[in-house]
Amino acid sequence: MTAEQQARATLADVARLAGVSAKTVSRAMSGDGSVSEVTRERVMTAAKRLRFRPNTLARNLRHGGVTNSVAFVIGDITNPFYFNVAAGIERELATKGMTMLLATTDDAPGSEAVVVDALLAQRVRALIIVPIAKDQSYLEGERQLGTPVVCVDRPAHHLVADSVVLQNRLGIEEAVRSLIAVGHRKIGFVCSPAELYTHQERLLGYRSALLEAGITDSRRYERLEPVLGATAEESVRELLALDDPPTAIIAGNNRASTAAWRELFNRSPRVAFIGFDDFEFADTLGISVVAYDPIELGREAARLVLARLDDPSGPPRQIELPTHLIRRGSGEVPPPDAPDSTIAP
Amino acid sequence: MTAEQQARATLADVARLAGVSAKTVSRAMSGDGSVSEVTRERVMTAAKRLRFRPNTLARNLRHGGVTNSVAFVIGDITNPFYFNVAAGIERELATKGMTMLLATTDDAPGSEAVVVDALLAQRVRALIIVPIAKDQSYLEGERQLGTPVVCVDRPAHHLVADSVVLQNRLGIEEAVRSLIAVGHRKIGFVCSPAELYTHQERLLGYRSALLEAGITDSRRYERLEPVLGATAEESVRELLALDDPPTAIIAGNNRASTAAWRELFNRSPRVAFIGFDDFEFADTLGISVVAYDPIELGREAARLVLARLDDPSGPPRQIELPTHLIRRGSGEVPPPDAPDSTIAP
DNA sequence: CTGTTAGCGCGTTCAT
DNA sequence: ATGAACGCGCTAACAG
């Protein structure tokens, strides 16, 4: 690493070396206007010799001061869920030559606006966020200025914006019904913090499906962690330590799923289990889950951005992506008192 | 979403409304020069009313045309390994107010230069890449222009650059020795494509550790997929179908680990197994692995970038991050013919 | 086909 | 403490 900090060549430098005007170089490089074959050659040679690299920034500044990147704002980058969504966004954007800027709020509601502001100052083309703050109205002005804002996984609060969410209720309802069909009446629900929209929805799905089956005494089986980061392992232990423990457990999100299964693994008598969000080995291990496609979640969000860039007008769009129960065995375990599981009738 | 595309306010607009010069606004906003308290107030109010947002791009253009983001170029965004590295990079950059631009080459060696060129045109501050092309000399010019280039996981070819890699050989050697200590002499090695530096290193580690123990006839137990995407499941099946099958298997990378374990799971007699790269449930399932910290890999890369931005001179730095064997049981299974495993002496 | 002028939004260098 | 002029790298709008 030598410090031979050679200066970066500009259009003007190339023009000088090629003996033409800057604009001609511009034309030659971008293939925009018409340039004679000879001069184009001359320009290209000069550019190569000077290691010229067009400055997209300056170009965009001239065009209206917007970059080519879309910002994706997430809470915790170590959560694989976000990562898969990011993968979908990146892929979809790449088809249009756009790049993804990734930023983190560390799941701190207070830092959302700060992080977003910094990104907007960098003139990102659009914003895709997993809302964590309780109020996104601070983005209203930016939206009016023409910056598309798309919310993923959770809708925005106090802001008109496109969004992509999952069919959370339906997913959990399907899981509950499936357990009931096998004979369960005592079904537990463990999940991460209750405040989040997704978890609220899933809780509502859990309750409505139970109600539907005439089960009205399940509140004691609900365990929503009060704080982010608390593990579902404890919740499961608590539930199973009850005098009248549940015979089946549903987890409401990915972290809770893995934590819960960790606790249920190797326990007997076997407690039926259905997780939320598919994961590696869930198939090999025979774990039933309410699955969905996180990559598609990202792709849809990016598509909404692209559509909005194409046509800023029109009403906000709310997309709901399907969830579906995958039966692999763990959710099909009957309760111990079921007719089929008794040794003799 | 109405189409009320109101124009974006600039420094000049704010200046006009506040009745001062543009430079005064600039001073007031950046808190740089000295501004009287009254005018500062006036400027701030005007800025708020116009929803003014300073344009970082224009500012940076004035400063030398460089953005605040560092590009991270990876092959396949769906590989959790890259994701964790990305997490480390993002976190470390965030401490300096920088953001991460994520780009993908789809593991196509030919597209690396294309993607990188586009990023450089966007004037990223630095480049962190997982090299996939056979030659990174195309970056030499850029390096001389002062753009730090850091390679992760694999060193660059034909380019002087900082890099962070793992202690690949040592990791696999430790695994092999551990298996040998339990009594294994027939040890298989399954891995993804052979061309990659990491896999070559691990293969060499495998061979040297065997040689060290006087085992010289293990070539028939080596299975390196010729193409990316081929699964290690087949390789494992092949190995176990041999007349004289191995009694232990080592996987050389994360994808191979999960695929191999999928195949070994529920098989009997139990084949000893050690994977490479830790993963969710490896602990719960009792799978021994050669582990390392992917997030730290990213953080180190980002630190190299920051150091290089701070001081471009100095020799290239090569950092090797440690790997270590985590014994959880699967790697401690003795061979069927071992004295301890026989029922009676 | 090519060059000139002007200006994108901001900061620097002088002035005042 | 504040302002005017100029320039960062590039391109639109006009020449010629």
mmCIF file of all heavy atoms in Angstrom, chain B residues 191-201 203 223-228:
data_model
loop_
_atom_site.group_PDB
_atom_site.id
_atom_site.type_symbol
_atom_site.label_atom_id
_atom_site.label_comp_id
_atom_site.label_asym_id
_atom_site.label_seq_id
_atom_site.Cartn_x
_atom_site.Cartn_y
_atom_site.Cartn_z
ATOM 1 N N CYS B 191 -17.216 -31.443 0.734
ATOM 2 C CA CYS B 191 -17.139 -29.988 0.659
ATOM 3 C C CYS B 191 -17.690 -29.485 -0.664
ATOM 4 O O CYS B 191 -17.850 -30.244 -1.619
ATOM 5 C CB CYS B 191 -15.673 -29.570 0.817
ATOM 6 S SG CYS B 191 -15.437 -27.832 1.164
ATOM 7 N N SER B 192 -17.975 -28.203 -0.714
ATOM 8 C CA SER B 192 -18.427 -27.572 -1.951
ATOM 9 C C SER B 192 -17.236 -27.389 -2.886
ATOM 10 O O SER B 192 -16.164 -27.895 -2.608
ATOM 11 C CB SER B 192 -19.103 -26.247 -1.621
ATOM 12 O OG SER B 192 -20.309 -26.502 -0.935
ATOM 13 N N PRO B 193 -17.393 -26.669 -3.974
ATOM 14 C CA PRO B 193 -16.386 -26.620 -5.037
ATOM 15 C C PRO B 193 -14.937 -26.511 -4.586
ATOM 16 O O PRO B 193 -14.607 -25.801 -3.639
ATOM 17 C CB PRO B 193 -16.775 -25.388 -5.837
ATOM 18 C CG PRO B 193 -18.211 -25.224 -5.612
ATOM 19 C CD PRO B 193 -18.492 -25.752 -4.251
ATOM 20 N N ALA B 194 -14.100 -27.201 -5.313
ATOM 21 C CA ALA B 194 -12.702 -27.305 -4.951
ATOM 22 C C ALA B 194 -11.894 -26.063 -5.286
ATOM 23 O O ALA B 194 -10.874 -25.797 -4.668
ATOM 24 C CB ALA B 194 -12.085 -28.513 -5.647
ATOM 25 N N GLU B 195 -12.339 -25.255 -6.237
ATOM 26 C CA GLU B 195 -11.496 -24.145 -6.694
ATOM 27 C C GLU B 195 -11.311 -23.067 -5.630
ATOM 28 O O GLU B 195 -10.311 -22.386 -5.578
ATOM 29 C CB GLU B 195 -12.070 -23.462 -7.938
ATOM 30 C CG GLU B 195 -12.607 -24.387 -8.992
ATOM 31 C CD GLU B 195 -14.077 -24.604 -8.759
ATOM 32 O OE1 GLU B 195 -14.836 -23.637 -8.855
ATOM 33 O OE2 GLU B 195 -14.458 -25.745 -8.472
ATOM 34 N N LEU B 196 -12.317 -22.895 -4.821
ATOM 35 C CA LEU B 196 -12.245 -21.814 -3.852
ATOM 36 C C LEU B 196 -11.088 -21.959 -2.874
ATOM 37 O O LEU B 196 -10.802 -23.050 -2.387
ATOM 38 C CB LEU B 196 -13.555 -21.712 -3.069
ATOM 39 C CG LEU B 196 -14.763 -21.252 -3.879
ATOM 40 C CD1 LEU B 196 -15.984 -21.148 -2.994
ATOM 41 C CD2 LEU B 196 -14.478 -19.923 -4.552
ATOM 42 N N TYR B 197 -10.472 -20.854 -2.587
ATOM 43 C CA TYR B 197 -9.345 -20.802 -1.664
ATOM 44 C C TYR B 197 -9.645 -21.490 -0.342
ATOM 45 O O TYR B 197 -8.889 -22.336 0.123
ATOM 46 C CB TYR B 197 -8.980 -19.339 -1.413
ATOM 47 C CG TYR B 197 -8.141 -19.103 -0.192
ATOM 48 C CD1 TYR B 197 -6.761 -19.280 -0.226
ATOM 49 C CD2 TYR B 197 -8.731 -18.710 1.009
ATOM 50 C CE1 TYR B 197 -5.992 -19.071 0.903
ATOM 51 C CE2 TYR B 197 -7.966 -18.500 2.142
ATOM 52 C CZ TYR B 197 -6.601 -18.681 2.091
ATOM 53 O OH TYR B 197 -5.852 -18.481 3.206
ATOM 54 N N THR B 198 -10.781 -21.127 0.254
ATOM 55 C CA THR B 198 -11.129 -21.679 1.563
ATOM 56 C C THR B 198 -11.179 -23.196 1.534
ATOM 57 O O THR B 198 -10.680 -23.864 2.430
ATOM 58 C CB THR B 198 -12.509 -21.160 2.007
ATOM 59 O OG1 THR B 198 -13.362 -21.064 0.863
ATOM 60 C CG2 THR B 198 -12.388 -19.802 2.647
ATOM 61 N N HIS B 199 -11.779 -23.726 0.485
ATOM 62 C CA HIS B 199 -11.945 -25.165 0.415
ATOM 63 C C HIS B 199 -10.621 -25.856 0.146
ATOM 64 O O HIS B 199 -10.356 -26.939 0.668
ATOM 65 C CB HIS B 199 -12.991 -25.496 -0.637
ATOM 66 C CG HIS B 199 -14.312 -24.848 -0.352
ATOM 67 N ND1 HIS B 199 -15.313 -24.738 -1.267
ATOM 68 C CD2 HIS B 199 -14.767 -24.257 0.783
ATOM 69 C CE1 HIS B 199 -16.335 -24.104 -0.705
ATOM 70 N NE2 HIS B 199 -16.026 -23.796 0.520
ATOM 71 N N GLN B 200 -9.797 -25.212 -0.633
ATOM 72 C CA GLN B 200 -8.462 -25.745 -0.876
ATOM 73 C C GLN B 200 -7.692 -25.833 0.439
ATOM 74 O O GLN B 200 -7.090 -26.845 0.760
ATOM 75 C CB GLN B 200 -7.685 -24.828 -1.838
ATOM 76 C CG GLN B 200 -7.990 -25.076 -3.298
ATOM 77 C CD GLN B 200 -7.542 -26.456 -3.745
ATOM 78 O OE1 GLN B 200 -6.755 -27.114 -3.057
ATOM 79 N NE2 GLN B 200 -8.065 -26.914 -4.864
ATOM 80 N N GLU B 201 -7.749 -24.764 1.190
ATOM 81 C CA GLU B 201 -7.039 -24.719 2.460
ATOM 82 C C GLU B 201 -7.518 -25.818 3.405
ATOM 83 O O GLU B 201 -6.741 -26.485 4.070
ATOM 84 C CB GLU B 201 -7.270 -23.358 3.134
ATOM 85 C CG GLU B 201 -6.532 -22.219 2.472
ATOM 86 C CD GLU B 201 -5.035 -22.357 2.627
ATOM 87 O OE1 GLU B 201 -4.583 -22.475 3.776
ATOM 88 O OE2 GLU B 201 -4.322 -22.369 1.611
ATOM 89 N N LEU B 203 -9.007 -28.556 2.599
ATOM 90 C CA LEU B 203 -8.607 -29.863 2.077
ATOM 91 C C LEU B 203 -7.162 -30.150 2.472
ATOM 92 O O LEU B 203 -6.826 -31.262 2.902
ATOM 93 C CB LEU B 203 -8.751 -29.873 0.549
ATOM 94 C CG LEU B 203 -8.342 -31.170 -0.152
ATOM 95 C CD1 LEU B 203 -9.191 -32.336 0.333
ATOM 96 C CD2 LEU B 203 -8.460 -31.023 -1.670
ATOM 97 N N ARG B 223 -14.436 -35.846 -1.148
ATOM 98 C CA ARG B 223 -15.530 -35.544 -2.075
ATOM 99 C C ARG B 223 -15.747 -34.041 -2.142
ATOM 100 O O ARG B 223 -16.425 -33.464 -1.302
ATOM 101 C CB ARG B 223 -16.826 -36.213 -1.615
ATOM 102 C CG ARG B 223 -16.885 -37.710 -1.815
ATOM 103 C CD ARG B 223 -16.962 -38.094 -3.291
ATOM 104 N NE ARG B 223 -17.059 -39.526 -3.501
ATOM 105 C CZ ARG B 223 -16.065 -40.384 -3.292
ATOM 106 N NH1 ARG B 223 -14.909 -39.961 -2.857
ATOM 107 N NH2 ARG B 223 -16.254 -41.660 -3.518
ATOM 108 N N LEU B 224 -15.155 -33.395 -3.153
ATOM 109 C CA LEU B 224 -15.378 -31.966 -3.336
ATOM 110 C C LEU B 224 -16.240 -31.766 -4.570
ATOM 111 O O LEU B 224 -15.868 -32.167 -5.668
ATOM 112 C CB LEU B 224 -14.058 -31.212 -3.467
ATOM 113 C CG LEU B 224 -13.346 -31.007 -2.125
ATOM 114 C CD1 LEU B 224 -12.414 -32.134 -1.814
ATOM 115 C CD2 LEU B 224 -12.636 -29.678 -2.110
ATOM 116 N N GLU B 225 -17.374 -31.173 -4.380
ATOM 117 C CA GLU B 225 -18.319 -30.975 -5.476
ATOM 118 C C GLU B 225 -17.651 -30.188 -6.595
ATOM 119 O O GLU B 225 -17.033 -29.160 -6.349
ATOM 120 C CB GLU B 225 -19.526 -30.183 -4.991
ATOM 121 C CG GLU B 225 -20.174 -30.738 -3.751
ATOM 122 C CD GLU B 225 -20.766 -32.104 -3.980
ATOM 123 O OE1 GLU B 225 -21.108 -32.390 -5.143
ATOM 124 O OE2 GLU B 225 -20.862 -32.880 -3.025
ATOM 125 N N PRO B 226 -17.806 -30.661 -7.813
ATOM 126 C CA PRO B 226 -17.218 -29.935 -8.931
ATOM 127 C C PRO B 226 -17.964 -28.632 -9.222
ATOM 128 O O PRO B 226 -17.400 -27.679 -9.701
ATOM 129 C CB PRO B 226 -17.337 -30.907 -10.093
ATOM 130 C CG PRO B 226 -18.456 -31.820 -9.717
ATOM 131 C CD PRO B 226 -18.479 -31.880 -8.226
ATOM 132 N N VAL B 227 -19.239 -28.581 -8.927
ATOM 133 C CA VAL B 227 -20.007 -27.370 -9.232
ATOM 134 C C VAL B 227 -20.701 -26.813 -8.002
ATOM 135 O O VAL B 227 -21.112 -27.547 -7.111
ATOM 136 C CB VAL B 227 -21.092 -27.646 -10.296
ATOM 137 C CG1 VAL B 227 -20.476 -27.642 -11.668
ATOM 138 C CG2 VAL B 227 -21.804 -28.939 -10.006
ATOM 139 N N LEU B 228 -20.813 -25.513 -8.013
ATOM 140 C CA LEU B 228 -21.518 -24.834 -6.935
ATOM 141 C C LEU B 228 -22.974 -25.286 -6.977
ATOM 142 O O LEU B 228 -23.571 -25.397 -8.028
ATOM 143 C CB LEU B 228 -21.456 -23.328 -7.173
ATOM 144 C CG LEU B 228 -21.405 -22.431 -5.942
ATOM 145 C CD1 LEU B 228 -20.120 -22.668 -5.188
ATOM 146 C CD2 LEU B 228 -21.506 -20.985 -6.367
#
